[in-house]
Amino acid sequence: MKFLLLLILFTTSLAFAQKQNDQLLKVKKADQPLKIDGIANDPCWLTAEWHPLDQLWLGRPYSEEDFSGRFKLAWTHTHLLLLVEIQDDKLFDQHEDPLKLWWDDDCVEVFVDEDNSGGEHQYNHNAFAYHIALDYNVVDMGPDKKGHLYNDHIDVKRSTEGSTTVWEMAITLYADTYKEESKTNKPVALFSGKKIGFALAYCDNDGSKERENFIGSVFVPGEDKNKGWIDANVFGTIELVE
Ligand SMILES: [Ca+2]
Ligand SMILES: [Ca+2]
Ligand SMILES: [Ca+2]
Ligand SMILES: [Ca+2]
């Protein structure tokens, strides 16, 4: 009986949990389309401000040589634009198959909730959690509870010099009505004033069987901080401005 009560309390708290918009970033519009080449000399990157990627979601405290990261955002009417600068002492891609344990290879993870609704998204498209691998494969879990490639959602290139990797991406946004089997999923148009649920993370592995660290861009309250892949309420919010 006690267990049943707890279960009811837990499920209702999930259902009524509201997206908080306290971790808000304003994102400026780019005047020109991006040249996706992993080089940050596009006009929009010269004026956009850096945001830290420094919240430990999983793993042990790390040194600056092991990992540090920061990012910039911009937008056009067709794409959300993202620049990620990562210092990582070893790039590690142990699984050649992009759909095998993709989160245990070095990868950038982009969380996008197009309508900023928040809520549960583990096996649906209320939000996407794109894992972008070193070889540019883009993976998320589909409604069939399996990994799928969404390479046509993100145009990405990286450049690596020493331990610094610059990732440059143009992300196409899709609504929660997205269907894997459909050829006619329509991208969502972006406009000034639009709010989008957003978070960024990096899975750092330098040679272990499983990822060593998982570092995110937003503060997640509570003990379990690895919630982004299930719960879009923990994402930050971005607001598109001119
Ligand atoms: Ca560029
Ligand atoms: Ca590392
Ligand atoms: Ca949503
Ligand atoms: Ca690494």
Side-chain angles (χ1 to χ4, degrees), residues 66 88-89 204 206:
D66 183 10
D88 182 7
D89 45 353
D204 185 16
D206 299 335

Side-chain angles (χ1 to χ4, degrees), residues 112-119 125-127 175-176 232:
V112 191
D113 174 11
E114 176 274 320
D115 60 355
N116 197 35
S117 62
H125 295 315
N126 175 28
D176 52 12

Side-chain angles (χ1 to χ4, degrees), residues 62-68 86-91 106 202 204-207 212-213 215:
Y62 49 87
S63 68
E64 217 164 280
E65 275 149 43
D66 183 10
F67 175 84
S68 71
I86 301 290
Q87 312 276 344
D88 182 7
D89 45 353
K90 188 160 188 263
L91 297 181
D106 270 319
Y202 190 78
D204 185 16
N205 195 344
D206 299 335
E212 294 158 14
N213 280 307
I215 302 103

Side-chain angles (χ1 to χ4, degrees), residues 84-88 91 158-167:
V84 187
E85 186 190 271
I86 301 290
Q87 312 276 344
D88 182 7
L91 297 181
R158 68 179 169 95
S159 63
T160 301
E161 220 182 295
S163 60
T164 304
T165 298
V166 175
W167 301 75

Side-chain angles (χ1 to χ4, degrees), residues 96-111:
E96 210 179 306
D97 178 351
L99 298 178
K100 191 178 172 197
L101 299 170
W102 55 90
W103 57 87
D104 282 329
D105 290 333
D106 270 319
C107 63
V108 173
E109 190 164 343
V110 176
F111 301 86

